[in-house]
Amino acid sequence: MNTEKNRIMRLLFWESTIKCNLTCAHCRRVEGDDAAPSDMATDQAMDMIDQLAALGKEQGFMPVFVFSGGEPLCRDDIFELIKHARKKELQLALASNGTLIDSTVAEKIKDAGIQRVSISLDGATSDIHNKLRQLEGSFEGAIEGIGHLKKAGVPFQINVTITRHNAHQLDDVFALAKQLGAVAVHLFMLVPVGCGEEFAEEDMLSADEYEKMMELIAALEVSQDLQIKVTCGPHYERVVRQAGLRKQPHMADMPEAACPHGHGKGGHPGGKPMHSSKGCLAGVSVIFVGHQGDVFPCGYLPVNCGNILQTPLADIWNNNTDLANMRDTSKLTGKCGICEYRNLCGGCRARAFSVKGDYMAEEPFCDYLPQTNK
């Protein structure tokens, strides 16, 4: 794999605020709303946006900028920041739980320039979703918010975190997404960090169950009109190839020059496909900026790579040692290090860190046995 430090940043997730109106059982955040005063100030956020836009121009590709959280709609200046990012020609997405979106907010989202909104639904029924979100009525609130987005003409996708609580509802989730008018479904394989660390073992899929879930998703992808993307499940690309399933040539099979600029099979705010050289993109083409400016390879991997309030974003992206390590699959250890799919998959570095304490260790939730020692 190419290990040069200067890589194209394709997507930046920003934890715009630690504040949230929900307390989800599987959330990655560990701080509460009382930490919200330490959120980046408006001028600091503006400067980060400027730095990202400058990096985009330098690399010849404008990254997707995702306003995440917490719940980004809890931030008072969120639409001011979105409009600033739009002026800088960044591609914009908003990640929300949907419960704060009424008709007025939906129109503001549209007018501000958001190209796609992701709404989290952790089940096709209120009992499953509300249990994980730990708030009665959150399912109904999210569905209502989706309705306002649809009426306003804002494209939206459904994000689902897969656990044993909702794994049996996969078909129903797709049916609901179609009924609601979603353009995509993103399936997140749970990473045990933040509040997710408190999940009991019986709540999480085993390695064998992960494998079977990947096979089921791969089969469903062929028959679905919806765009489907598996996140935090890098071995999905191996499963797809082993099964010989794919509705269309995947961007990972194409040379970079031939790929349209986008972010995710269904993940690009404008709906374009994504070029991906491997399953786990943490630090490779994706980065996460916390609410205080700390930079991490992804939102699930608590390896601090610097702080943009102290070090320019481009310097962190191009020169950080941990990020360089994650781009070099020859440094993977355990069975990931000898796997013939290591350049395609790479294993989830966050799950390796959470279980082994080493982000270059083997993926602990992969049931595959490598067929080569090369």
Side-chain angles (χ1 to χ4, degrees), residues 30-280:
V30 293
E31 298 171 277
D33 286 359
D34 56 347
S38 63
D39 288 346
M40 290 168 60
T42 302
D43 60 336
Q44 294 172 328
M46 293 279 194
D47 183 62
M48 174 187 63
I49 291 169
D50 292 344
Q51 289 188 49
L52 181 60
L55 176 61
K57 289 181 179 179
E58 181 179 349
Q59 68 183 12
F61 176 86
M62 279 298 179
V64 173
F65 184 48
V66 181
F67 290 84
S68 183
E71 170 53 55
L73 293 176
C74 288
R75 184 169 176 128
D76 294 337
D77 61 356
I78 191 68
F79 291 108
E80 179 184 356
L81 295 173
I82 292 172
K83 289 178 180 178
H84 181 70
R86 183 183 183 184
K87 289 179 182 178
K88 293 294 180 176
E89 300 180 345
L90 293 167
Q91 303 179 73
L92 307 179
L94 177 73
S96 173
N97 61 46
T99 61
L100 299 180
I101 300 176
D102 57 18
S103 59
T104 300
V105 171
E107 288 295 336
K108 286 183 177 180
I109 289 172
K110 180 180 180 180
D111 293 341
I114 290 292
Q115 294 163 271
R116 181 180 293 187
V117 177
S118 65
I119 301 294
S120 298
L121 284 181
D122 291 317
T125 55
S126 61
D127 58 330
I128 298 296
H129 177 90
N130 291 346
K131 180 178 181 180
L132 286 169
R133 297 281 153 176
Q134 300 187 139
L135 180 67
E136 287 300 318
S138 58
F139 179 81
E140 292 78 7
I143 296 296
E144 185 176 342
I146 286 172
H148 290 304
L149 289 173
K150 184 176 181 180
K151 186 175 181 180
V154 179
F156 65 90
Q157 68 186 48
I158 302 299
N159 287 356
V160 185
T161 298
I162 302 295
T163 68
R164 285 185 180 171
H165 295 286
N166 58 19
H168 65 286
Q169 289 194 329
L170 196 58
D171 284 326
D172 294 333
V173 166
F174 287 133
L176 177 61
K178 285 183 178 180
Q179 176 188 333
L180 293 172
V183 296
V185 174
H186 284 208
L187 303 166
F188 287 71
M189 313 310 289
L190 180 66
V191 180
V193 298
C195 297
E197 288 183 310
E198 300 177 5
F199 256 46
E201 186 174 343
E202 60 266 23
D203 294 326
M204 297 179 60
L205 299 180
S206 66
D208 177 64
E209 288 170 326
Y210 263 110
E211 188 78 6
K212 291 177 181 176
M213 177 60 66
M214 300 286 186
E215 292 171 353
L216 175 59
I217 295 170
L220 285 172
E221 182 183 5
V222 176
S223 61
Q224 293 290 330
D225 294 331
L226 286 166
Q227 300 168 339
I228 298 173
K229 185 178 185 296
V230 176
T231 299
C232 300
H235 26 314
Y236 180 67
E237 294 303 328
R238 165 186 53 81
V239 170
V240 166
R241 281 154 182 74
Q242 286 180 309
L245 297 171
R246 182 69 76 183
K247 284 190 295 186
Q248 58 186 8
H250 193 254
M251 293 300 107
D253 298 326
M254 300 181 181
E256 175 124 34
C259 295
H261 291 309
H263 295 281
K265 189 173 182 293
H268 178 284
K272 298 177 183 178
M274 166 182 169
H275 170 73
S276 168
S277 59
K278 53 182 293 200
C280 183

Side-chain angles (χ1 to χ4, degrees), residues 198-366:
E198 300 177 5
F199 256 46
E201 186 174 343
E202 60 266 23
D203 294 326
M204 297 179 60
L205 299 180
S206 66
D208 177 64
E209 288 170 326
Y210 263 110
E211 188 78 6
K212 291 177 181 176
M213 177 60 66
M214 300 286 186
E215 292 171 353
L216 175 59
I217 295 170
L220 285 172
E221 182 183 5
V222 176
S223 61
Q224 293 290 330
D225 294 331
L226 286 166
Q227 300 168 339
I228 298 173
K229 185 178 185 296
V230 176
T231 299
C232 300
H235 26 314
Y236 180 67
E237 294 303 328
R238 165 186 53 81
V239 170
V240 166
R241 281 154 182 74
Q242 286 180 309
L245 297 171
R246 182 69 76 183
K247 284 190 295 186
Q248 58 186 8
H250 193 254
M251 293 300 107
D253 298 326
M254 300 181 181
E256 175 124 34
C259 295
H261 291 309
H263 295 281
K265 189 173 182 293
H268 178 284
K272 298 177 183 178
M274 166 182 169
H275 170 73
S276 168
S277 59
K278 53 182 293 200
C280 183
L281 301 177
V284 177
S285 59
V286 171
I287 206 166
F288 181 91
V289 179
H291 73 111
Q292 295 178 305
D294 293 316
V295 176
F296 304 92
C298 78
Y300 301 105
L301 180 50
V303 174
N304 196 316
C305 300
N307 188 292
I308 63 167
L309 303 182
Q310 302 166 1
T311 307
L313 177 62
D315 286 353
I316 296 173
W317 179 251
N318 291 324
N319 300 316
N320 180 263
T321 301
D322 289 310
L323 297 180
N325 286 338
M326 291 177 204
R327 297 163 187 167
D328 188 355
T329 56
S330 70
K331 293 184 177 181
L332 292 171
T333 62
K335 67 178 184 180
C336 283
I338 61 172
C339 184
E340 65 272 28
Y341 290 101
R342 72 182 187 187
N343 289 339
L344 175 71
C345 168
C348 177
R349 300 300 95 222
R351 275 197 293 270
F353 185 82
S354 70
V355 175
K356 303 286 187 178
D358 176 7
Y359 60 73
M360 298 305 286
E362 67 182 47
E363 156 73 67
F365 287 85
C366 177

